[in-house]
Amino acid sequence: FNAADLGPEWGYSYGGTAAVGGRARVPCATGYAVCQTGYAWTLAGASFFVQIPTVPDPTGATVEAYCAAMVQGVVEGTRVGFSINAVSGMIRFVSEVGYWDDTAVELTYDPVNHLFVRLAEDGTNLLWDTSPDGITWTNRRTLATPAWVDTDIDVCALDMSAHRDAGTADYAEFDLFNTLSDGAVWTASAALSGESSLTATALLS
């Protein structure tokens, strides 16, 4: 997210999401904002991880001021991923149908130990992991892979979103998506010159 704008891979983003200060910044207001890919990806046999350095401020919200990282299936509301609710102070590891998971694993959110989140599918199970540094991971939930993950090949989307039910609008931030390198993108010009002649010795073979 070090370029001036979100790249084309996030072409389905809306709600004022932008690249700011080397991070994807997603507004957290009473509307909805999402940093989203197109529906062209596959979770089966794949994984993603992302750092969430900034979560919404709960001030003024009554039920939720959340940010989330989700893989969306074709059926609306069928999705898997992570949700952090600053009002409840909990992080949820979810496999949702109809936008809800009655059996979600829920832990008290720790901004240090839950700084990075990772979702992986290994051909048999889905694994939800967290990490303080993107290197050492702790498994938080393991679930038999839902059937839709294998059905929705090349038609899944990944999104990073934020929303609140009330209170002053702020934002969540996401960084280091599938990379621990925080190198910047540089644009530069240079004057080039060439040698007027080149010499070489032939080799007999």
Side-chain angles (χ1 to χ4, degrees), residues 132-176:
D133 54 13
I135 299 172
T136 302
W137 295 91
T138 300
N139 179 249
R140 304 298 185 177
R141 184 183 187 185
T142 300
L143 181 72
T145 301
W148 68 264
V149 171
D150 291 318
T151 301
D152 292 359
I153 299 295
D154 295 335
V155 290
C156 291
L158 188 141
D159 68 42
M160 302 178 296
S161 62
H163 170 76
R164 64 172 58 247
D165 65 338
T168 303
D170 60 352
Y171 54 83
E173 290 182 313
F174 301 84
D175 199 4
L176 301 177

Side-chain angles (χ1 to χ4, degrees), residues 60-123:
T62 59
V63 177
E64 60 185 14
Y66 75 80
C67 59
M70 298 279 186
V71 174
Q72 308 277 351
V74 170
V75 177
E76 187 174 348
T78 298
R79 57 188 189 169
V80 289
F82 307 83
S83 179
I84 301 168
N85 186 349
V87 174
S88 66
M90 306 299 284
I91 180 171
R92 287 171 56 87
F93 308 88
V94 302
S95 176
E96 297 184 345
V97 175
Y99 295 104
W100 188 251
D101 179 2
D102 284 331
T103 59
V105 172
E106 193 172 60
L107 299 175
T108 299
Y109 172 65
D110 183 330
V112 175
N113 289 316
H114 302 151
L115 179 60
F116 286 82
V117 297
R118 179 177 69 182
L119 182 67
E121 201 280 329
D122 65 4

Side-chain angles (χ1 to χ4, degrees), residues 1-14 17-19 22-24 34-42 48-50 70 156-160 174-179 183 185:
F1 302 114
N2 290 309
D5 300 300
L6 293 172
E9 62 271 24
W10 303 102
Y12 281 62
S13 302
Y14 60 88
T17 302
R23 296 173 175 175
V34 178
C35 182
Q36 187 181 56
T37 70
Y39 281 80
W41 304 97
T42 300
F48 79 88
F49 71 83
V50 65
M70 298 279 186
C156 291
L158 188 141
D159 68 42
M160 302 178 296
F174 301 84
D175 199 4
L176 301 177
F177 187 88
N178 279 354
T179 178
V185 176

